[in-house]
């Protein structure tokens, strides 16, 4: 199970996204064994969101997030490959 939290708002609200991730990791087994944490996060500034909703220019705001977004995607892809390899190794031949 891969979960992704999308929180809109300030950095304080972004920290709230950490709580559901902790709850998921505390699920009873086997659900907890099927989870993997992604270390990276992308915090979209409120000004960029407002510009988007008003039809304004968001290119500058999104360009500043490119490094964080790429890091998060790389983490997600790494876990995808690692979990796929592990599951294939567990399947009987």
């Amino acid at each position: 199970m891969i979960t992704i939290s999308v929180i809109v708002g300030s950095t304080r609200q972004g920290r709230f996204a950490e709580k559901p991730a902790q709850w998921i990791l505390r699920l009873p087994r086997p659900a907890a064994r099927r989870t993997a944490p992604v270390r990276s996060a992308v915090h979209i500034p409120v000004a960029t969101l407002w510009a988007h909703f008003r039809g304004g220019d968001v290119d500058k705001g999104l360009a500043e997030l490119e490094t964080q977004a790429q890091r998060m995607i790389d983490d997600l892809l790494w876990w995808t490959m690692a979990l796929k390899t592990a599951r294939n190794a567990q399947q009987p031949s």
Side-chain angles (χ1 to χ4, degrees):
M1 167 180 15
I2 296 176
T3 58
I4 298 173
S5 299
V6 177
I7 305 297
V8 177
S10 67
T11 304
R12 183 182 68 207
Q13 291 162 329
R15 288 189 190 120
F16 174 75
E18 296 171 5
K19 287 295 182 188
Q22 291 171 0
W23 297 334
I24 290 167
L25 290 174
R26 291 181 184 156
L27 287 173
R29 297 179 193 258
R33 283 184 278 159
R34 294 184 180 157
T35 61
V38 176
R39 297 176 297 177
S40 303
V42 177
H43 300 280
I44 301 172
V46 175
T48 303
L49 286 173
W50 278 116
H52 169 72
F53 291 133
R54 293 181 175 164
D57 184 24
V58 295
D59 291 339
K60 180 184 175 194
L62 294 179
E64 294 172 359
L65 303 174
E66 189 171 339
T67 301
Q68 293 124 303
Q70 189 60 53
R71 192 175 300 131
M72 186 175 70
I73 291 168
D74 289 345
D75 280 351
L76 183 59
L77 292 174
W78 186 90
W79 274 111
T80 301
M81 294 304 298
L83 293 172
K84 182 178 179 181
T85 301
R87 287 182 184 138
N88 287 341
Q90 289 179 343
Q91 292 179 355
S93 300

